[in-house]
Amino acid sequence: PRWSAGRMVERFERGFAEWLGRAHAVAVPSGTVGTALALRALGIGAGAEIIASTYGWHQVAQAVPLVGARVAFSDINYWSGCLDPVRAAARVTPATRALMAGNVNGHPAPWDALRTLAGDKGLALIEDATESIGSRYRGRPVGSFGIVSVFDFSQPSALCCGEGGMLVTDDAALASELRTLRARSLSDRPSVSVGSRVSR
């Protein structure tokens, strides 16, 4: 029997991707685990540096050391609470591999500027859309801006399913790798102690 997947999960994945206008959705145990899987799928690990906001769910940044990388915190825009692209640009070093930006308290991040920064510096852009599910930026829903976007469904998320999360992307190869890594992580779960469980 399939205890953690199956037709209902697959239906949820398809519906969630369609709602956001993304090509693929991959259900995961939590936003933290999903973020760690996204970093691994992007080839980000030991020695890498990830720029993340100083303001937001600490569990997002918590995913970075799970893959052996290091967080470089950058400051926010005072009015939106979201990662400031100008300040983030000043934090980029040769070790930087990705930007992790979130949509905070219903406020979409400045995605045009963040996407330009990521493109100019050759960085992966990871979007945490949990806090602003349903919000829109210039006509597009949050969750449609990162190469991979992360949602968490545990308390006190806007869409609460008790636990769980979702990764969305338009990259078919990345989605395939995420599913492979998810299967491996789920098969490893019995060896993880209850006290070490990771959630958002």
Side-chain angles (χ1 to χ4, degrees):
R2 299 171 68 185
W3 295 106
S4 60
R7 286 178 292 180
M8 291 296 290
V9 172
E10 290 162 3
R11 183 178 177 185
F12 183 32
E13 289 175 333
R14 288 193 300 270
F16 199 80
E18 183 178 350
W19 178 65
L20 288 171
R22 303 295 304 247
H24 307 279
V26 180
V28 290
S30 72
T32 304
V33 171
T35 304
L37 293 180
L39 291 169
R40 287 181 59 192
L42 291 166
I44 296 172
E49 189 175 84
I50 312 300
I51 295 175
S53 172
T54 54
Y55 178 68
W57 288 94
H58 68 275
Q59 291 92 337
V60 175
Q62 190 178 35
V64 176
L66 293 178
V67 300
R70 187 178 76 83
V71 180
F73 286 110
S74 185
D75 214 344
I76 61 172
N77 175 281
Y78 175 82
W79 299 106
S80 70
C82 300
L83 187 67
D84 186 314
V86 175
R87 292 182 170 112
R91 298 286 288 153
V92 176
T93 73
T96 306
R97 295 286 308 280
L99 292 174
M100 285 203 316
N103 304 287
V104 178
N105 295 327
H107 297 285
W111 291 110
D112 287 346
L114 289 168
R115 292 179 82 181
T116 297
L117 173 59
D120 290 347
K121 300 295 185 179
L123 306 175
L125 182 58
I126 300 169
E127 176 184 6
D128 176 17
T130 294
E131 292 187 30
S132 302
I133 186 169
S135 294
R136 302 181 77 83
Y137 175 79
R138 299 195 173 180
R140 293 176 56 184
V142 298
S144 62
F145 298 101
I147 186 171
V148 60
S149 300
V150 183
F151 292 85
D152 184 273
F153 304 138
S154 61
Q155 288 183 313
S157 302
L159 175 60
C160 185
C161 301
E163 60 181 17
M166 191 76 76
L167 303 174
V168 293
T169 183
D170 295 321
D171 187 316
L174 181 58
S176 178
E177 181 66 10
L178 288 168
R179 289 191 176 95
T180 299
L181 291 171
R182 176 184 64 182
R184 289 179 185 165
S185 69
L186 290 175
S187 67
D188 291 342
R189 289 181 81 184
S191 64
V192 178
S193 67
V194 174
S196 67
R197 181 178 177 187
V198 178
S199 62
R200 181 170 167 78

